[in-house]
Amino acid sequence: MKKRFGHLPDYQQEIDERFGNFQPVKNQQTLWFHVVSVGETNAAQPLIEHYLKLGQAVLVTNTTRTGQARAKALFADKYPKLFQAVFLPIDQKYLIERFIQCNQPRMVLLMETELWCNLLECIHTHKIPLALLNARLSEKSAKGYAKFKRLTVPMLQQLDFIAAQDDATMQRFIDLGMRTDKIQVLGNVKFDITTPQQFIQQAQQLRQDWQLAQRNIVVLASTHTPEEKQILTALQTALRQDPTLLCLVVPRHPERFDEVYQSIQQLDFIVQRRSLGQTIQTNTQVYLADSMGELWLWYALAQVAYVGGSLNQPGGGHNILEPIALNVATVLGKNYFNFQTIVDEFVQQQAVLVVENAEQAAQICLTLLHDTAQRQQMNDQAQHIMQANQGAVARHIALIDGYLQP
């Protein structure tokens, strides 16, 4: 496992790149997308894909190895000449300046909320168009920025445009000092989600090969410490009494895979691991999906999903739209402030369920597994909301095109 996860062999490459030992530049005059990690990479996917298909070279910078691995998995093989993914240098002027001079991007597009003082100043100084796309700003984050307005206001003034996800985000940016003529609500590109067909087909094959047709499957997705252990503990009795019940566990961070496996073993479950090539057996109670880039597959196998990072502290939550796109009834914890506006809309229509603790999460997941009518009602409501919110990708492309015109 050490060779694949944790402090990996590519750790040194990350350190080198972030401190100035840059990769050879593949293209100049690129569209430079800065995406922090996996979530932002997935959000930017339709935008990046659109421009690569048009023959526009794209540079992606990340600040996490998981984000870079995701970007490469999406585009490196498909667009070997046009696409490059590298690590963003640390926010030091001399490094950012040299990075910009090497790459000479055509436009810089920051995803969601990624504001660094020197990065923004250097890009602005070079008169490169700079936009914050799919922007989100929670009330908590806005209060943090407000404490440092002498830094925040100049940063916002260096942005050419902010494409906000919702009215609340737009108002928070305006309150922090963003000009009203440089910000607009364009919606959330995550609603324009496209389910990868290869994972649906793979799930259908695995359902047959692993004899899953009669299994009641709940996936604990993108979990953090101590969510897996707490929810599995609450599911102990059900897992031992019901041989049809199966729990798929997908930890958010790969460096925790071994730790989570040990926790599952301590609970004395019959467990298999994806990383070892093990398959789900008829007596498997817990399957540890310790792999990268396969979350869609595990959602596609399940009837119910708990989306993690939402019961831990401080939490913040993860993307609920992926399971919803697959008609998987979705449950999450109360600490979902990173996706506040999205989740609130689904909660108001009873299209997702929010829980207070691990015991309630386990109980509601079990209830939904056995109540097909409630599951179907939730899924129907969720699909109505998804359809009503689509179109943000096209609006973002129109915005970008406006800056790319000669």
Side-chain angles (χ1 to χ4, degrees), residues 45-316:
Q45 177 182 354
L47 301 175
I48 295 171
E49 186 97 45
H50 172 81
Y51 288 102
L52 286 171
K53 284 181 177 178
L54 292 177
Q56 168 63 57
V58 169
L59 173 69
V60 168
T61 53
N62 306 92
T63 51
T64 70
R65 278 170 284 158
T66 52
Q68 185 170 110
R70 178 60 177 157
K72 288 179 177 178
L74 288 170
F75 305 116
D77 291 339
K78 198 172 179 181
Y79 303 96
K81 294 182 179 180
L82 291 174
F83 173 79
Q84 186 173 20
V86 301
F87 287 105
L88 181 74
I90 61 170
D91 199 45
Q92 295 292 318
K93 271 190 179 181
Y94 75 98
L95 289 175
I96 299 295
E97 277 287 340
R98 188 155 64 83
F99 187 83
I100 291 173
Q101 289 169 4
C102 289
N103 288 276
Q104 297 184 27
R106 187 176 177 189
M107 184 176 185
V108 182
L109 305 161
L110 313 174
M111 291 301 296
E112 300 204 351
T113 309
E114 187 64 7
L115 305 176
W116 293 95
C117 295
N118 291 321
L119 176 66
L120 269 62
E121 183 181 343
C122 291
I123 294 168
H124 179 72
T125 300
H126 283 270
K127 302 187 185 304
I128 301 167
L130 173 63
L132 182 63
L133 303 184
N134 209 46
R136 62 180 174 88
L137 188 66
S138 68
E139 184 178 356
K140 179 181 177 182
S141 295
K143 287 178 180 177
Y145 280 115
K147 293 177 182 177
F148 304 96
K149 269 206 164 183
R150 289 180 63 184
L151 290 174
T152 300
V153 172
M155 283 198 303
L156 294 179
Q157 290 175 346
Q158 287 159 357
L159 289 164
D160 291 289
F161 200 86
I162 296 179
Q165 292 185 10
D166 50 66
D167 290 328
T169 287
M170 180 172 71
Q171 190 57 53
R172 287 173 190 140
F173 274 116
I174 291 171
D175 291 343
L176 286 172
M178 188 63 186
R179 283 173 44 178
T180 56
D181 61 332
K182 289 190 172 186
I183 187 168
Q184 187 177 348
V185 175
L186 297 189
N188 190 336
V189 297
K190 291 180 178 178
F191 278 105
D192 291 318
I193 198 165
T194 302
T195 307
Q197 287 301 307
Q198 70 267 28
F199 289 120
I200 295 176
Q201 294 165 4
Q202 189 178 357
Q204 292 171 343
Q205 189 63 50
L206 289 183
R207 197 173 284 114
Q208 178 181 333
D209 294 345
W210 293 356
Q211 301 178 38
L212 301 178
Q214 304 305 315
R215 302 296 295 266
N216 291 313
I217 303 175
V218 58
V219 57
L220 310 182
S222 297
T223 50
H224 295 237
T225 303
E227 291 175 302
E228 311 95 354
K229 187 172 184 178
Q230 290 178 340
I231 297 176
L232 286 173
T233 299
L235 287 170
Q236 269 185 308
T237 300
L239 281 163
R240 289 184 176 129
Q241 291 179 350
D242 182 359
T244 70
L245 182 59
L246 172 65
C247 189
L248 310 176
V249 178
V250 193
R252 178 70 174 181
H253 299 111
E255 61 269 20
R256 296 188 56 244
F257 288 166
D258 285 338
E259 167 199 328
V260 174
Y261 179 64
Q262 291 167 8
S263 295
I264 297 169
Q265 283 188 311
Q266 289 168 5
L267 292 170
D268 201 27
F269 288 124
I270 300 170
V271 56
Q272 273 82 39
R273 300 183 70 165
R274 178 66 164 173
S275 63
L276 300 180
Q278 296 171 338
T279 62
I280 294 173
Q281 306 297 314
T282 55
N283 65 343
T284 301
Q285 296 168 311
V286 178
Y287 190 71
L288 178 57
D290 51 351
S291 60
M292 296 298 294
E294 291 190 308
L295 184 56
W296 280 105
L297 173 62
W298 312 122
Y299 280 139
L301 286 174
Q303 293 102 7
V304 177
Y306 165 79
V307 178
S310 54
L311 278 177
N312 62 310
Q313 293 291 342

Side-chain angles (χ1 to χ4, degrees), residues 300-342:
L301 286 174
Q303 293 102 7
V304 177
Y306 165 79
V307 178
S310 54
L311 278 177
N312 62 310
Q313 293 291 342
H318 291 294
N319 188 7
I320 64 169
L321 301 179
E322 291 172 349
I324 287 172
L326 286 163
N327 275 307
V328 179
T330 301
V331 179
L332 73 159
K334 60 184 178 180
N335 303 325
Y336 57 82
F337 54 83
N338 283 340
F339 296 85
Q340 188 82 38
T341 305
I342 293 177

